[in-house]
Amino acid sequence: MAESYDVIVIGSGAGGGTLVNRLAPSGKRILLLERGDWLPREPQNWLAQDVFVDGRYVSPDTWYDAKGKPFQPQVHYFVGGATKLYGAALYRLRAEDFGELRHHDGVSPAWPISYDEMEPYYTQAEQLYQVHGARGEDPTEPPASAPYPFPAVSHEPRIQQLSDDLAAAGYHPFHAPCGIMLDEGNMPYSRCVRCPDCDGFPCLVHAKADAEVLAVRPALEHPNVTLLRNAEVVSLGTNPAGTTVTELMVNRDGEQETFAADIVVAACGAANTAKLLLSSVSDKHPNGLANGSDQVGRNFMFHDSTAVLALSREENPTIFQKTLGLNDFYFAGDEFDYPLGNIQMVGKSQAPMFRGEKPGETKLAPEWTLERVARHAVDFWLSTEDLPGPDNRVTVDPDGKVTLSYTETNATARKQMYGKLKSMLGHLGMHSDHLFTKHAYLKTDIPVAGCAHQAGTCRFGSDPASSALDVNCKAHELDNLYVADTSIFPSIGAVNPALTAMANALRVGDHVLERIGAGPTQ
Protein backbone atom coordinates (compact mmCIF):
# COMPACT_ATOMS: atom_id res chain seq x y z
CA MET A 1 0.00 0.00 0.00
CA ALA A 2 1.30 3.43 -0.93
CA GLU A 3 2.56 5.64 1.87
CA SER A 4 0.14 8.53 2.25
CA TYR A 5 0.61 12.23 2.99
CA ASP A 6 -1.60 15.28 3.27
CA VAL A 7 0.28 17.04 0.46
CA ILE A 8 2.92 15.86 -1.99
CA VAL A 9 4.87 18.46 -3.97
CA ILE A 10 6.86 17.33 -7.02
CA GLY A 11 9.87 19.54 -7.63
CA SER A 12 11.80 21.80 -5.25
CA GLY A 13 12.55 24.89 -7.32
CA ALA A 14 11.07 28.39 -7.39
CA GLY A 15 7.53 26.96 -7.42
CA GLY A 16 7.70 23.74 -5.42
CA GLY A 17 10.30 24.82 -2.89
CA THR A 18 8.43 28.05 -2.17
CA LEU A 19 5.13 26.22 -1.84
CA VAL A 20 6.54 23.73 0.67
CA ASN A 21 7.98 26.61 2.66
CA ARG A 22 4.49 28.12 2.87
CA LEU A 23 2.87 24.81 3.87
CA ALA A 24 5.51 23.69 6.37
CA PRO A 25 4.21 25.48 9.52
CA SER A 26 0.77 23.88 9.08
CA GLY A 27 1.75 20.67 10.85
CA LYS A 28 0.30 18.62 7.99
CA ARG A 29 2.28 15.70 6.59
CA ILE A 30 4.12 17.05 3.56
CA LEU A 31 6.37 15.15 1.17
CA LEU A 32 8.70 16.96 -1.23
CA LEU A 33 9.97 14.83 -4.11
CA GLU A 34 13.06 16.01 -6.01
CA ARG A 35 14.47 14.05 -8.92
CA GLY A 36 17.96 15.42 -8.29
CA ASP A 37 20.23 15.54 -5.26
CA TRP A 38 21.90 18.29 -3.28
CA LEU A 39 24.16 20.28 -5.57
CA PRO A 40 27.70 19.46 -4.40
CA ARG A 41 29.56 22.21 -2.57
CA GLU A 42 33.00 22.09 -4.13
CA PRO A 43 35.66 24.44 -5.56
CA GLN A 44 34.31 23.83 -9.07
CA ASN A 45 31.17 25.79 -8.12
CA TRP A 46 33.14 28.95 -8.87
CA LEU A 47 35.29 27.85 -11.82
CA ALA A 48 34.13 29.20 -15.19
CA GLN A 49 35.84 26.38 -17.07
CA ASP A 50 33.89 23.74 -15.15
CA VAL A 51 30.55 25.55 -15.13
CA PHE A 52 30.38 27.19 -18.56
CA VAL A 53 32.72 25.14 -20.74
CA ASP A 54 32.43 21.64 -19.31
CA GLY A 55 28.80 21.97 -18.19
CA ARG A 56 29.55 20.26 -14.90
CA TYR A 57 26.09 20.90 -13.41
CA VAL A 58 23.96 20.34 -16.49
CA SER A 59 21.80 17.30 -15.81
CA PRO A 60 21.88 14.39 -18.26
CA ASP A 61 18.69 14.54 -20.29
CA THR A 62 18.05 14.10 -23.99
CA TRP A 63 15.17 15.85 -25.72
CA TYR A 64 14.36 16.13 -29.42
CA ASP A 65 13.43 19.03 -31.64
CA ALA A 66 10.57 19.02 -34.15
CA LYS A 67 12.83 17.41 -36.79
CA GLY A 68 13.82 14.60 -34.46
CA LYS A 69 17.29 15.96 -33.74
CA PRO A 70 18.43 15.09 -30.21
CA PHE A 71 19.82 17.79 -27.92
CA GLN A 72 20.84 18.14 -24.31
CA PRO A 73 18.68 20.73 -22.57
CA GLN A 74 20.50 23.01 -20.16
CA VAL A 75 18.45 21.79 -17.20
CA HIS A 76 19.56 21.48 -13.59
CA TYR A 77 18.00 18.79 -11.41
CA PHE A 78 19.01 19.63 -7.85
CA VAL A 79 17.33 20.53 -4.59
CA GLY A 80 16.37 24.12 -5.38
CA GLY A 81 15.85 23.36 -9.05
CA ALA A 82 16.90 25.93 -11.64
CA THR A 83 17.38 28.57 -8.93
CA LYS A 84 20.67 26.91 -7.96
CA LEU A 85 22.30 28.43 -11.05
CA TYR A 86 20.02 31.37 -11.83
CA GLY A 87 21.08 35.00 -11.82
CA ALA A 88 18.75 35.89 -8.92
CA ALA A 89 17.21 38.78 -10.87
CA LEU A 90 13.86 38.92 -9.09
CA TYR A 91 11.58 41.21 -11.09
CA ARG A 92 7.84 41.61 -10.81
CA LEU A 93 5.87 41.41 -14.02
CA ARG A 94 4.53 44.83 -14.95
CA ALA A 95 0.89 45.44 -14.02
CA GLU A 96 0.06 45.68 -17.73
CA ASP A 97 1.49 42.19 -18.30
CA PHE A 98 -1.53 40.76 -16.52
CA GLY A 99 -3.77 42.21 -19.24
CA GLU A 100 -3.79 41.70 -22.97
CA LEU A 101 -0.87 43.39 -24.73
CA ARG A 102 -0.44 43.85 -28.47
CA HIS A 103 3.00 43.17 -29.87
CA HIS A 104 4.49 43.58 -33.32
CA ASP A 105 4.01 39.88 -34.08
CA GLY A 106 0.84 39.09 -32.15
CA VAL A 107 -1.04 39.30 -28.88
CA SER A 108 0.12 38.46 -25.38
CA PRO A 109 -3.01 37.14 -23.65
CA ALA A 110 -4.42 38.34 -20.34
CA TRP A 111 -4.05 36.41 -17.10
CA PRO A 112 -7.18 35.21 -15.27
CA ILE A 113 -6.13 37.20 -12.21
CA SER A 114 -5.09 40.83 -11.94
CA TYR A 115 -1.83 42.32 -10.77
CA ASP A 116 -3.63 43.57 -7.68
CA GLU A 117 -4.47 39.99 -6.71
CA MET A 118 -0.84 38.95 -7.08
CA GLU A 119 0.68 42.04 -5.45
CA PRO A 120 0.56 40.92 -1.78
CA TYR A 121 2.30 37.70 -2.78
CA TYR A 122 4.98 39.56 -4.72
CA THR A 123 5.69 41.49 -1.52
CA GLN A 124 5.86 38.28 0.52
CA ALA A 125 8.09 36.62 -2.08
CA GLU A 126 10.47 39.59 -2.05
CA GLN A 127 10.69 39.26 1.72
CA LEU A 128 11.21 35.48 1.64
CA TYR A 129 13.92 35.75 -1.00
CA GLN A 130 15.59 38.82 0.53
CA VAL A 131 15.38 40.98 -2.58
CA HIS A 132 17.52 44.11 -2.78
CA GLY A 133 16.16 47.00 -4.82
CA ALA A 134 14.96 50.59 -4.94
CA ARG A 135 11.38 51.65 -5.63
CA GLY A 136 10.68 54.65 -7.82
CA GLU A 137 13.61 54.47 -10.24
CA ASP A 138 11.92 52.42 -12.96
CA PRO A 139 8.95 54.26 -14.51
CA THR A 140 7.37 50.97 -15.61
CA GLU A 141 7.40 49.36 -12.18
CA PRO A 142 4.00 48.37 -10.82
CA PRO A 143 2.57 49.59 -7.50
CA ALA A 144 3.98 47.91 -4.41
CA SER A 145 2.53 47.68 -0.90
CA ALA A 146 5.94 47.72 0.79
CA PRO A 147 9.49 48.81 0.03
CA TYR A 148 12.08 46.26 -0.93
CA PRO A 149 13.22 44.47 2.22
CA PHE A 150 16.86 45.34 1.53
CA PRO A 151 18.57 48.35 -0.11
CA ALA A 152 19.63 48.18 -3.72
CA VAL A 153 22.98 46.58 -4.52
CA SER A 154 25.37 49.43 -5.29
CA HIS A 155 26.93 49.87 -8.72
CA GLU A 156 30.66 49.47 -9.07
CA PRO A 157 32.33 52.50 -10.73
CA ARG A 158 32.12 51.40 -14.39
CA ILE A 159 28.45 50.44 -14.04
CA GLN A 160 27.72 53.66 -12.16
CA GLN A 161 29.27 55.51 -15.11
CA LEU A 162 27.03 53.51 -17.47
CA SER A 163 24.01 54.45 -15.35
CA ASP A 164 25.03 58.12 -15.39
CA ASP A 165 25.54 58.03 -19.16
CA LEU A 166 22.13 56.43 -19.70
CA ALA A 167 20.48 59.03 -17.49
CA ALA A 168 22.28 61.85 -19.30
CA ALA A 169 20.95 60.46 -22.59
CA GLY A 170 17.41 60.73 -21.24
CA TYR A 171 16.86 57.10 -20.20
CA HIS A 172 15.76 55.73 -16.82
CA PRO A 173 18.31 53.20 -15.56
CA PHE A 174 17.49 51.56 -12.25
CA HIS A 175 19.08 49.29 -9.69
CA ALA A 176 18.10 45.75 -10.68
CA PRO A 177 16.19 43.75 -8.05
CA CYS A 178 18.65 41.17 -6.85
CA GLY A 179 18.26 38.18 -4.53
CA ILE A 180 21.58 37.89 -2.73
CA MET A 181 22.34 37.81 0.98
CA LEU A 182 24.49 40.90 0.98
CA ASP A 183 25.10 43.39 3.78
CA GLU A 184 27.16 46.17 2.22
CA GLY A 185 27.07 48.13 5.44
CA ASN A 186 28.77 45.34 7.35
CA MET A 187 30.80 43.30 4.89
CA PRO A 188 32.76 41.36 7.53
CA TYR A 189 29.45 39.78 8.50
CA SER A 190 27.93 39.62 5.00
CA ARG A 191 27.30 36.15 3.64
CA CYS A 192 27.64 37.43 0.06
CA VAL A 193 31.09 38.74 -0.87
CA ARG A 194 30.15 40.25 -4.28
CA CYS A 195 32.20 37.66 -6.13
CA PRO A 196 32.31 37.38 -9.95
CA ASP A 197 30.88 33.84 -9.91
CA CYS A 198 27.18 34.38 -9.31
CA ASP A 199 25.15 34.59 -12.51
CA GLY A 200 25.04 31.08 -13.94
CA PHE A 201 27.15 29.62 -11.13
CA PRO A 202 26.11 27.77 -7.98
CA CYS A 203 26.93 29.75 -4.85
CA LEU A 204 29.60 27.99 -2.84
CA VAL A 205 28.84 30.00 0.31
CA HIS A 206 25.02 29.75 0.02
CA ALA A 207 24.66 33.51 -0.36
CA LYS A 208 22.35 33.39 -3.38
CA ALA A 209 18.64 33.65 -2.63
CA ASP A 210 17.81 30.28 -4.14
CA ALA A 211 14.94 27.95 -3.31
CA GLU A 212 17.14 25.41 -1.56
CA VAL A 213 18.72 27.84 0.87
CA LEU A 214 15.77 30.11 1.67
CA ALA A 215 12.75 27.86 1.13
CA VAL A 216 13.54 24.15 1.34
CA ARG A 217 16.08 24.09 4.15
CA PRO A 218 13.88 26.17 6.50
CA ALA A 219 10.90 23.96 5.63
CA LEU A 220 12.85 20.85 6.56
CA GLU A 221 13.29 22.18 10.08
CA HIS A 222 9.62 21.28 10.56
CA PRO A 223 9.29 17.60 11.54
CA ASN A 224 6.17 17.19 9.40
CA VAL A 225 8.11 17.88 6.17
CA THR A 226 10.02 15.10 4.40
CA LEU A 227 12.34 15.49 1.41
CA LEU A 228 13.17 12.54 -0.81
CA ARG A 229 16.01 13.14 -3.25
CA ASN A 230 16.82 11.25 -6.43
CA ALA A 231 13.09 10.56 -6.66
CA GLU A 232 11.64 11.07 -10.15
CA VAL A 233 7.87 10.91 -10.46
CA VAL A 234 7.20 9.06 -13.72
CA SER A 235 3.39 8.99 -13.76
CA LEU A 236 0.25 9.75 -11.78
CA GLY A 237 -2.62 7.30 -11.37
CA THR A 238 -6.25 8.15 -10.64
CA ASN A 239 -9.34 6.56 -9.16
CA PRO A 240 -11.59 4.61 -11.60
CA ALA A 241 -13.70 7.70 -12.27
CA GLY A 242 -10.58 9.64 -13.23
CA THR A 243 -11.45 12.52 -10.90
CA THR A 244 -8.75 12.21 -8.23
CA VAL A 245 -5.03 11.46 -8.29
CA THR A 246 -4.61 8.44 -6.02
CA GLU A 247 -1.09 7.25 -6.76
CA LEU A 248 2.31 8.64 -7.66
CA MET A 249 4.72 6.20 -9.32
CA VAL A 250 8.26 7.14 -8.36
CA ASN A 251 11.63 5.91 -9.55
CA ARG A 252 13.99 6.40 -6.61
CA ASP A 253 17.58 5.25 -6.81
CA GLY A 254 16.57 2.67 -9.41
CA GLU A 255 13.68 1.28 -7.37
CA GLN A 256 9.96 1.73 -8.06
CA GLU A 257 7.92 3.18 -5.18
CA THR A 258 4.38 4.49 -4.88
CA PHE A 259 3.00 7.33 -2.77
CA ALA A 260 -0.41 8.90 -2.23
CA ALA A 261 -1.69 12.22 -0.92
CA ASP A 262 -4.90 14.15 -0.41
CA ILE A 263 -3.41 16.90 -2.59
CA VAL A 264 -0.73 16.56 -5.28
CA VAL A 265 1.17 19.54 -6.69
CA ALA A 266 3.32 19.34 -9.82
CA ALA A 267 6.16 21.88 -9.94
CA CYS A 268 8.67 20.25 -12.27
CA GLY A 269 9.23 23.14 -14.68
CA ALA A 270 7.30 23.91 -17.83
CA ALA A 271 8.64 21.06 -19.96
CA ASN A 272 8.75 18.38 -17.27
CA THR A 273 5.38 19.20 -15.71
CA ALA A 274 3.89 18.79 -19.18
CA LYS A 275 5.83 15.55 -19.62
CA LEU A 276 4.49 14.16 -16.34
CA LEU A 277 0.88 14.99 -17.13
CA LEU A 278 1.11 13.77 -20.73
CA SER A 279 2.73 10.53 -19.53
CA SER A 280 -0.12 9.85 -17.09
CA VAL A 281 -2.48 8.19 -19.56
CA SER A 282 -5.56 6.17 -18.59
CA ASP A 283 -8.94 5.19 -19.99
CA LYS A 284 -10.49 8.31 -18.51
CA HIS A 285 -7.56 10.50 -19.59
CA PRO A 286 -6.36 9.05 -22.91
CA ASN A 287 -4.45 12.23 -23.78
CA GLY A 288 -2.90 12.69 -20.35
CA LEU A 289 -4.04 14.25 -17.10
CA ALA A 290 -5.69 17.69 -17.07
CA ASN A 291 -5.70 17.60 -20.86
CA GLY A 292 -9.36 17.56 -21.86
CA SER A 293 -8.78 20.95 -23.45
CA ASP A 294 -5.73 19.65 -25.37
CA GLN A 295 -3.74 22.51 -23.83
CA VAL A 296 -1.16 20.53 -21.83
CA GLY A 297 2.22 20.91 -23.47
CA ARG A 298 1.10 23.77 -25.70
CA ASN A 299 2.08 27.46 -25.56
CA PHE A 300 5.68 26.81 -24.55
CA MET A 301 7.54 30.09 -24.01
CA PHE A 302 11.09 30.87 -22.94
CA HIS A 303 11.83 34.53 -23.82
CA ASP A 304 13.48 35.82 -26.95
CA SER A 305 16.71 36.51 -25.11
CA THR A 306 20.10 37.60 -26.36
CA ALA A 307 23.23 37.84 -24.24
CA VAL A 308 25.51 40.42 -25.82
CA LEU A 309 29.00 41.65 -25.13
CA ALA A 310 29.97 45.26 -25.71
CA LEU A 311 33.57 46.40 -25.55
CA SER A 312 34.23 49.35 -23.30
CA ARG A 313 36.86 51.83 -24.46
CA GLU A 314 38.19 51.79 -20.92
CA GLU A 315 38.76 48.58 -19.03
CA ASN A 316 35.80 47.32 -17.04
CA PRO A 317 37.18 46.02 -13.73
CA THR A 318 33.66 45.37 -12.37
CA ILE A 319 33.39 42.20 -10.31
CA PHE A 320 29.67 41.97 -9.48
CA GLN A 321 28.14 43.42 -12.61
CA LYS A 322 24.45 42.47 -12.46
CA THR A 323 23.19 45.60 -10.74
CA LEU A 324 21.54 47.68 -13.50
CA GLY A 325 18.37 47.41 -15.55
CA LEU A 326 16.59 49.49 -18.19
CA ASN A 327 12.90 49.24 -19.11
CA ASP A 328 12.52 52.33 -21.31
CA PHE A 329 11.63 50.05 -24.23
CA TYR A 330 9.47 47.62 -22.26
CA PHE A 331 6.19 48.85 -23.77
CA ALA A 332 7.37 51.13 -26.56
CA GLY A 333 9.95 53.78 -27.18
CA ASP A 334 11.12 56.41 -29.61
CA GLU A 335 10.02 55.38 -33.07
CA PHE A 336 8.56 52.06 -31.89
CA ASP A 337 4.88 51.77 -31.01
CA TYR A 338 5.08 48.17 -29.81
CA PRO A 339 6.88 46.54 -26.84
CA LEU A 340 10.56 45.67 -27.19
CA GLY A 341 11.45 44.39 -23.72
CA ASN A 342 13.96 44.58 -20.89
CA ILE A 343 17.70 45.30 -20.83
CA GLN A 344 19.75 44.23 -17.85
CA MET A 345 23.33 43.40 -17.00
CA VAL A 346 24.52 39.82 -16.69
CA GLY A 347 27.51 38.35 -14.93
CA LYS A 348 30.89 39.71 -15.97
CA SER A 349 32.58 37.87 -18.82
CA GLN A 350 35.58 35.74 -17.93
CA ALA A 351 38.06 34.54 -20.55
CA PRO A 352 37.35 30.80 -20.07
CA MET A 353 33.71 31.42 -20.99
CA PHE A 354 34.73 32.26 -24.56
CA ARG A 355 36.40 28.93 -25.37
CA GLY A 356 34.87 27.77 -28.60
CA GLU A 357 32.91 30.96 -29.19
CA LYS A 358 33.05 32.44 -32.67
CA PRO A 359 33.55 36.10 -31.66
CA GLY A 360 36.68 35.18 -29.75
CA GLU A 361 38.03 32.99 -32.55
CA THR A 362 37.34 35.18 -35.55
CA LYS A 363 35.97 38.70 -35.38
CA LEU A 364 38.01 39.81 -32.40
CA ALA A 365 41.28 38.02 -33.13
CA PRO A 366 44.12 38.76 -33.34
CA GLU A 367 43.77 42.37 -32.16
CA TRP A 368 41.72 41.27 -29.19
CA THR A 369 42.86 38.33 -27.11
CA LEU A 370 40.21 36.56 -25.06
CA GLU A 371 41.77 37.92 -21.90
CA ARG A 372 41.67 41.47 -23.28
CA VAL A 373 38.05 40.98 -24.37
CA ALA A 374 37.15 39.93 -20.86
CA ARG A 375 38.88 42.97 -19.35
CA HIS A 376 36.96 45.38 -21.61
CA ALA A 377 33.64 43.51 -21.73
CA VAL A 378 30.38 45.03 -20.55
CA ASP A 379 27.72 42.34 -20.68
CA PHE A 380 24.02 42.88 -21.37
CA TRP A 381 20.99 40.60 -21.42
CA LEU A 382 18.20 41.60 -23.80
CA SER A 383 14.85 39.96 -23.14
CA THR A 384 11.84 40.29 -25.43
CA GLU A 385 8.48 38.69 -24.73
CA ASP A 386 7.99 35.32 -26.37
CA LEU A 387 4.38 34.99 -27.50
CA PRO A 388 2.45 31.78 -26.75
CA GLY A 389 1.55 29.63 -29.72
CA PRO A 390 -0.34 26.33 -29.69
CA ASP A 391 2.24 24.66 -31.93
CA ASN A 392 5.15 25.62 -29.70
CA ARG A 393 4.72 22.60 -27.55
CA VAL A 394 6.04 19.66 -25.57
CA THR A 395 4.94 16.21 -26.67
CA VAL A 396 5.81 12.82 -25.22
CA ASP A 397 6.03 9.51 -27.07
CA PRO A 398 4.75 6.29 -25.46
CA ASP A 399 8.35 5.40 -24.63
CA GLY A 400 8.80 8.69 -22.78
CA LYS A 401 10.78 10.56 -25.46
CA VAL A 402 10.28 14.32 -25.06
CA THR A 403 9.94 16.44 -28.19
CA LEU A 404 10.07 20.21 -27.94
CA SER A 405 8.71 21.84 -31.09
CA TYR A 406 9.40 25.54 -31.29
CA THR A 407 9.29 28.35 -33.85
CA GLU A 408 10.54 31.77 -32.83
CA THR A 409 7.95 34.45 -32.13
CA ASN A 410 8.27 38.23 -31.89
CA ALA A 411 11.59 38.22 -33.74
CA THR A 412 11.06 41.74 -35.10
CA ALA A 413 10.97 43.24 -31.61
CA ARG A 414 14.04 41.27 -30.56
CA LYS A 415 16.02 42.53 -33.54
CA GLN A 416 14.82 46.09 -32.97
CA MET A 417 16.02 46.02 -29.38
CA TYR A 418 19.42 44.65 -30.37
CA GLY A 419 19.72 47.46 -32.92
CA LYS A 420 18.63 50.00 -30.34
CA LEU A 421 21.32 48.93 -27.89
CA LYS A 422 23.94 48.96 -30.64
CA SER A 423 22.96 52.50 -31.63
CA MET A 424 23.42 53.64 -28.03
CA LEU A 425 26.95 52.30 -27.56
CA GLY A 426 28.82 55.34 -28.79
CA HIS A 427 27.13 57.47 -26.14
CA LEU A 428 27.93 54.96 -23.41
CA GLY A 429 31.70 54.77 -23.63
CA MET A 430 31.68 51.66 -25.83
CA HIS A 431 33.14 50.79 -29.21
CA SER A 432 30.10 51.37 -31.41
CA ASP A 433 31.17 48.71 -33.93
CA HIS A 434 31.80 46.02 -31.33
CA LEU A 435 28.65 44.34 -30.08
CA PHE A 436 28.66 40.57 -30.19
CA THR A 437 26.20 37.87 -29.31
CA LYS A 438 27.52 35.94 -26.35
CA HIS A 439 27.06 32.18 -26.27
CA ALA A 440 28.53 31.30 -22.90
CA TYR A 441 25.02 30.81 -21.53
CA LEU A 442 23.98 28.59 -24.43
CA LYS A 443 26.52 26.25 -25.99
CA THR A 444 24.20 24.88 -28.69
CA ASP A 445 22.66 25.90 -31.98
CA ILE A 446 19.18 24.98 -30.74
CA PRO A 447 17.86 28.07 -28.93
CA VAL A 448 15.27 26.27 -26.79
CA ALA A 449 17.99 24.06 -25.33
CA GLY A 450 18.81 26.95 -23.02
CA CYS A 451 15.62 26.28 -21.08
CA ALA A 452 16.14 29.34 -18.90
CA HIS A 453 12.88 31.19 -18.32
CA GLN A 454 10.79 28.35 -19.76
CA ALA A 455 7.05 28.83 -19.18
CA GLY A 456 3.64 27.90 -20.49
CA THR A 457 2.44 24.32 -21.24
CA CYS A 458 -0.22 24.19 -18.47
CA ARG A 459 -1.82 27.61 -18.56
CA PHE A 460 -4.39 28.59 -15.97
CA GLY A 461 -7.66 30.32 -16.81
CA SER A 462 -11.37 30.56 -16.15
CA ASP A 463 -12.46 28.60 -19.24
CA PRO A 464 -11.85 24.83 -19.15
CA ALA A 465 -12.01 24.76 -22.95
CA SER A 466 -8.90 26.92 -23.34
CA SER A 467 -6.88 26.20 -20.18
CA ALA A 468 -5.66 23.24 -18.16
CA LEU A 469 -6.02 24.80 -14.70
CA ASP A 470 -8.48 27.02 -12.87
CA VAL A 471 -7.61 30.34 -11.23
CA ASN A 472 -6.28 28.51 -8.15
CA CYS A 473 -4.01 26.45 -10.43
CA LYS A 474 -6.03 23.28 -9.81
CA ALA A 475 -6.64 21.06 -12.81
CA HIS A 476 -10.15 21.66 -14.13
CA GLU A 477 -10.78 17.92 -14.41
CA LEU A 478 -9.25 16.64 -11.17
CA ASP A 479 -10.23 17.33 -7.59
CA ASN A 480 -6.77 17.27 -6.03
CA LEU A 481 -4.15 18.03 -8.68
CA TYR A 482 -2.46 21.44 -8.70
CA VAL A 483 0.42 22.98 -10.64
CA ALA A 484 2.72 25.60 -9.09
CA ASP A 485 5.51 26.51 -11.46
CA THR A 486 6.02 28.65 -14.56
CA SER A 487 4.01 26.25 -16.70
CA ILE A 488 0.85 27.99 -15.45
CA PHE A 489 1.81 31.28 -17.18
CA PRO A 490 -0.61 32.38 -19.96
CA SER A 491 2.08 34.89 -20.99
CA ILE A 492 5.66 35.46 -19.90
CA GLY A 493 6.23 39.22 -20.03
CA ALA A 494 9.78 40.37 -20.71
CA VAL A 495 11.38 40.09 -17.28
CA ASN A 496 12.75 37.07 -15.45
CA PRO A 497 9.86 34.80 -14.34
CA ALA A 498 11.30 33.47 -11.05
CA LEU A 499 9.71 35.99 -8.67
CA THR A 500 6.30 35.53 -10.31
CA ALA A 501 6.61 31.76 -9.89
CA MET A 502 7.52 32.28 -6.24
CA ALA A 503 4.67 34.71 -5.63
CA ASN A 504 2.13 32.46 -7.31
CA ALA A 505 3.36 29.48 -5.29
CA LEU A 506 2.62 31.45 -2.12
CA ARG A 507 -0.83 32.28 -3.50
CA VAL A 508 -1.53 28.62 -4.32
CA GLY A 509 -0.11 27.70 -0.92
CA ASP A 510 -2.69 29.82 0.88
CA HIS A 511 -5.46 28.17 -1.13
CA VAL A 512 -4.13 24.70 -0.28
CA LEU A 513 -3.82 25.60 3.40
CA GLU A 514 -7.44 26.68 3.53
CA ARG A 515 -8.49 23.52 1.75
CA ILE A 516 -6.71 21.21 4.18
CA GLY A 517 -8.04 23.16 7.14
CA ALA A 518 -4.80 24.81 8.17
CA GLY A 519 -5.47 28.42 7.15
CA PRO A 520 -2.85 30.82 5.78
CA THR A 521 0.46 30.85 7.65
CA GLN A 522 0.90 34.61 7.32
Side-chain angles (χ1 to χ4, degrees):
M1 185 173 178
E3 188 173 359
S4 185
Y5 292 82
D6 293 303
V7 182
I8 294 179
V9 178
I10 309 165
S12 63
T18 305
L19 176 65
V20 167
N21 184 275
R22 174 53 57 96
L23 301 179
S26 69
K28 301 293 185 178
R29 293 194 71 213
I30 299 162
L31 175 64
L32 177 59
L33 296 170
E34 169 53 53
R35 69 183 292 178
D37 208 334
W38 302 107
L39 191 148
R41 300 183 72 184
E42 54 190 4
Q44 292 92 334
N45 286 176
W46 280 354
L47 296 179
Q49 174 74 33
D50 290 84
V51 175
F52 283 98
V53 181
D54 299 337
R56 184 177 182 84
Y57 302 109
V58 176
S59 298
D61 247 359
T62 301
W63 297 352
Y64 297 81
D65 69 10
K67 296 180 180 179
K69 180 181 178 180
F71 66 93
Q72 183 181 20
Q74 306 289 296
V75 290
H76 307 104
Y77 301 139
F78 297 104
V79 180
T83 68
K84 289 304 297 177
L85 287 94
Y86 77 159
L90 295 176
Y91 286 80
R92 299 181 180 209
L93 286 176
R94 313 293 91 175
E96 294 88 341
D97 286 323
F98 286 82
E100 184 177 283
L101 281 177
R102 297 204 167 272
H103 290 257
H104 183 276
D105 291 357
V107 174
S108 173
W111 287 46
I113 61 172
S114 68
Y115 172 79
D116 289 344
E117 292 172 83
M118 188 71 87
E119 196 286 324
Y121 296 104
Y122 271 131
T123 295
Q124 293 171 29
E126 288 169 346
Q127 292 165 349
L128 175 61
Y129 284 94
Q130 302 191 21
V131 183
H132 296 245
R135 305 275 190 227
E137 296 180 337
D138 173 10
T140 73
E141 74 176 359
S145 56
Y148 280 107
F150 294 92
V153 180
S154 66
H155 299 316
E156 293 177 42
R158 182 63 186 89
I159 306 306
Q160 183 62 57
Q161 183 61 52
L162 174 61
S163 179
D164 294 344
D165 291 342
L166 285 166
Y171 299 111
H172 301 84
F174 58 90
H175 289 83
C178 192
I180 53 176
M181 286 169 261
L182 174 70
D183 184 354
E184 293 192 81
N186 191 9
M187 286 302 291
Y189 284 82
S190 175
R191 185 183 293 192
C192 174
V193 296
R194 289 187 68 123
C195 79
D197 304 320
C198 185
D199 193 4
F201 294 84
C203 183
L204 182 58
V205 295
H206 283 182
K208 185 186 293 187
D210 67 47
E212 176 210 332
V213 174
L214 288 180
V216 175
R217 285 178 180 256
L220 293 177
E221 295 177 7
H222 296 262
N224 54 300
V225 178
T226 301
L227 167 67
L228 293 183
R229 309 183 313 281
N230 303 305
E232 181 181 2
V233 182
V234 293
S235 66
L236 305 174
T238 69
N239 62 346
T243 57
T244 303
V245 174
T246 55
E247 193 174 45
L248 291 79
M249 278 63 79
V250 177
N251 185 341
R252 184 158 74 105
D253 293 326
E255 300 292 328
Q256 297 296 316
E257 301 180 13
T258 58
F259 297 90
D262 294 337
I263 290 178
V264 176
V265 185
C268 316
N272 280 306
T273 288
K275 176 189 177 184
L276 175 59
L277 298 183
L278 292 170
S279 299
S280 301
V281 174
S282 66
D283 291 342
K284 295 292 184 181
H285 299 280
N287 298 317
L289 285 185
N291 201 25
S293 61
D294 191 32
Q295 291 299 305
V296 173
R298 295 188 184 274
N299 306 300
F300 181 90
M301 301 167 284
F302 77 113
H303 275 148
D304 283 339
S305 296
T306 307
V308 294
L309 180 155
L311 291 174
S312 175
R313 295 190 184 98
E314 304 298 325
E315 288 193 5
N316 176 18
T318 303
I319 297 172
F320 190 89
Q321 182 172 259
K322 194 167 178 157
T323 59
L324 183 145
L326 188 75
N327 277 336
D328 287 64
F329 314 115
Y330 197 93
F331 297 116
D334 296 348
E335 64 270 33
F336 310 114
D337 58 1
Y338 48 87
L340 298 188
N342 165 265
I343 298 175
Q344 59 182 279
M345 313 305 295
V346 289
K348 182 73 171 67
S349 285
Q350 300 177 41
M353 293 179 179
F354 303 137
R355 304 301 174 195
E357 288 195 41
K358 293 177 184 176
E361 292 176 344
T362 56
K363 295 179 182 177
L364 299 179
E367 303 95 323
W368 292 84
T369 65
L370 298 185
E371 289 73 18
R372 189 181 175 207
V373 169
R375 287 199 305 273
H376 286 261
V378 178
D379 309 90
F380 297 91
W381 182 268
L382 312 183
S383 184
T384 295
E385 180 160 359
D386 188 18
L387 302 176
D391 295 327
N392 284 347
R393 64 185 300 198
V394 175
T395 54
V396 182
D397 291 352
D399 61 359
K401 184 176 82 171
V402 173
T403 297
L404 182 50
S405 303
Y406 181 81
T407 301
E408 184 181 13
T409 73
N410 224 12
T412 302
R414 177 180 58 79
K415 293 172 184 174
Q416 293 277 20
M417 184 142 80
Y418 182 87
K420 184 63 181 173
L421 177 64
K422 190 165 187 175
S423 73
M424 295 161 58
L425 294 181
H427 303 289
L428 302 178
M430 315 282 184
H431 291 280
S432 57
D433 56 342
H434 285 356
L435 182 65
F436 300 100
T437 302
K438 177 179 172 184
H439 298 279
Y441 289 86
L442 179 60
K443 297 174 292 298
T444 173
D445 60 352
I446 300 176
V448 289
C451 293
H453 301 187
Q454 58 173 293
T457 74
C458 296
R459 59 164 55 170
F460 77 142
S462 54
D463 183 0
S466 59
S467 59
L469 314 168
D470 68 15
V471 294
N472 294 314
C473 298
K474 183 186 76 67
H476 288 298
E477 302 160 27
L478 292 123
D479 297 334
N480 68 335
L481 176 63
Y482 291 79
V483 177
D485 58 21
T486 54
S487 62
I488 70 103
F489 286 28
S491 67
I492 195 172
V495 289
N496 313 52
L499 187 74
T500 301
M502 295 161 176
N504 187 63
L506 295 174
R507 187 182 71 91
V508 172
D510 276 356
H511 170 78
V512 170
L513 286 168
E514 290 180 11
R515 181 166 167 176
I516 62 179
T521 60
Q522 288 198 12

